[in-house]
Amino acid sequence: MFKKLTSVLVLFALGSCSYFKEEAKPEAIARVGDSYLYRSEIIDLIPEGTSKADSIAIVQSYIDRWATQKLLIKAAELNIRKERQSEIDNLVLQYKTDLYTKAYLEEIVTNQLDTLVSETEMRNYYNANKENFRTNGVLLRLRYLHLPKDHPKFETIKSKFFDRKKGDAKFWETYQLQFKSSALNDSVWVEMNQVYRKLPFINPENRENYIVPGKSIQYPDSLYVYLVKVSAVLDKNEISPYDYVKPTLKELLLNQRKLDLIKKFEKDITDDAIKNNKYEVYR
């Protein structure tokens, strides 16, 4: 009986060696009070290929920042009055709530929002809200080109430029690469600042001499010459053209859809909680 008991105790002792052995602890590399910084937290800190000296500097800087933050927050907890700490804790909680709800609503919008905005929707919105789309500055439509004065086809180019015809598309495809710069599409509305950049001989002081609807301009510039044709001009505080505000209209309509979708989702989730007795107000 005694031998059997002895054998059981020996087996238990042998089997218990691994049972009572302490689990391997993470290797600490720094300590501030009861807080530890572990090696595993800095494994991905050093970019591949960094020299030994730079690696040491990066790690030391990280450790110093970590320690400073720990010491500062400990000092803050000891020295900031309790009421103020409570205010900060509430702000942190509110910030977390805002981040979570914002991220969740963004997912809802991404998954459910219809991003297709029809031409009819944009036109209807524009026509109903024209007064909200007045110009902040001068808008205009023009075409221009900047070409060498001695270009062998100068007179032909000049004639076709000022007397533009639809049938000349192939002509412009052939010669456009020979111009120093050009913009031949005069159906697009642009702002005056863009004109100043592209046509430096025009400035705020003399623009009234050039920016006139229908005006044709030939302006020499050292070895080059500018040819400009102004198609249309809209002064400040006039109603912006539909084509100019079209991108804005799309964004406005999409933003309104987002707001409507979020508002509907918030109502649905609240109604559902009331229906399932998860939300009630005690009166």
Side-chain angles (χ1 to χ4, degrees), residues 44-62:
D44 299 325
L45 194 61
I46 310 299
E48 191 175 343
T50 305
S51 67
K52 182 178 179 181
D54 288 342
S55 297
I56 293 172
I58 291 170
V59 171
Q60 187 59 58
S61 176
Y62 182 88

Side-chain angles (χ1 to χ4, degrees), residues 17-60:
C17 287
S18 59
Y19 182 82
F20 286 107
K21 184 179 178 181
E22 287 188 18
E23 294 182 9
K25 289 184 178 180
E27 185 180 353
I29 59 173
R31 178 184 68 83
V32 171
D34 296 329
S35 298
Y36 291 85
L37 178 65
Y38 297 101
R39 185 174 297 276
S40 60
E41 297 179 66
I42 64 166
I43 287 177
D44 299 325
L45 194 61
I46 310 299
E48 191 175 343
T50 305
S51 67
K52 182 178 179 181
D54 288 342
S55 297
I56 293 172
I58 291 170
V59 171
Q60 187 59 58

Side-chain angles (χ1 to χ4, degrees), residues 15-189:
S16 299
C17 287
S18 59
Y19 182 82
F20 286 107
K21 184 179 178 181
E22 287 188 18
E23 294 182 9
K25 289 184 178 180
E27 185 180 353
I29 59 173
R31 178 184 68 83
V32 171
D34 296 329
S35 298
Y36 291 85
L37 178 65
Y38 297 101
R39 185 174 297 276
S40 60
E41 297 179 66
I42 64 166
I43 287 177
D44 299 325
L45 194 61
I46 310 299
E48 191 175 343
T50 305
S51 67
K52 182 178 179 181
D54 288 342
S55 297
I56 293 172
I58 291 170
V59 171
Q60 187 59 58
S61 176
Y62 182 88
I63 293 172
D64 288 343
R65 288 198 307 275
W66 174 85
T68 300
Q69 288 178 343
K70 293 295 182 184
L71 292 166
L72 282 172
I73 195 167
K74 191 66 177 176
E77 289 172 346
L78 291 172
N79 292 285
I80 295 178
R81 69 184 192 278
K82 295 299 180 183
E83 294 82 359
R84 181 57 177 150
Q85 288 188 38
S86 180
E87 291 175 8
I88 294 171
D89 289 341
N90 288 334
L91 287 173
V92 171
L93 182 59
Q94 184 60 53
Y95 184 56
K96 178 181 178 181
T97 301
D98 292 342
L99 285 177
Y100 269 88
T101 54
K102 183 175 184 291
Y104 182 46
L105 289 173
E106 284 176 353
E107 284 193 20
I108 296 296
V109 168
T110 301
N111 293 328
Q112 297 186 20
L113 182 68
D114 178 8
T115 57
L116 182 63
V117 181
S118 70
E119 188 77 17
T120 301
E121 286 179 279
M122 289 187 285
R123 284 279 184 188
N124 289 342
Y125 188 88
Y126 172 75
N127 290 330
N129 298 278
K130 281 185 178 182
E131 288 298 323
N132 296 331
F133 298 109
R134 290 191 173 274
T135 57
N136 293 321
V138 175
L139 294 180
L140 62 156
R141 290 191 289 113
L142 57 72
R143 61 182 184 270
Y144 86 92
L145 54 84
H146 195 196
L147 76 164
K149 290 178 180 178
D150 58 358
H151 194 289
K153 293 284 187 180
F154 179 83
E155 290 301 328
T156 302
I157 291 170
K158 175 182 172 181
S159 175
K160 286 183 175 295
F161 178 81
F162 287 126
D163 186 20
R164 190 172 178 179
K165 294 180 174 63
K166 289 183 179 180
D168 292 336
K170 203 155 190 79
F171 174 86
W172 294 116
E173 286 178 13
T174 301
Y175 286 98
Q176 192 165 5
L177 293 176
Q178 299 177 20
F179 306 148
K180 187 175 181 180
S181 64
S182 65
L184 300 176
N185 183 6
D186 60 0
S187 64
V188 178
W189 290 92

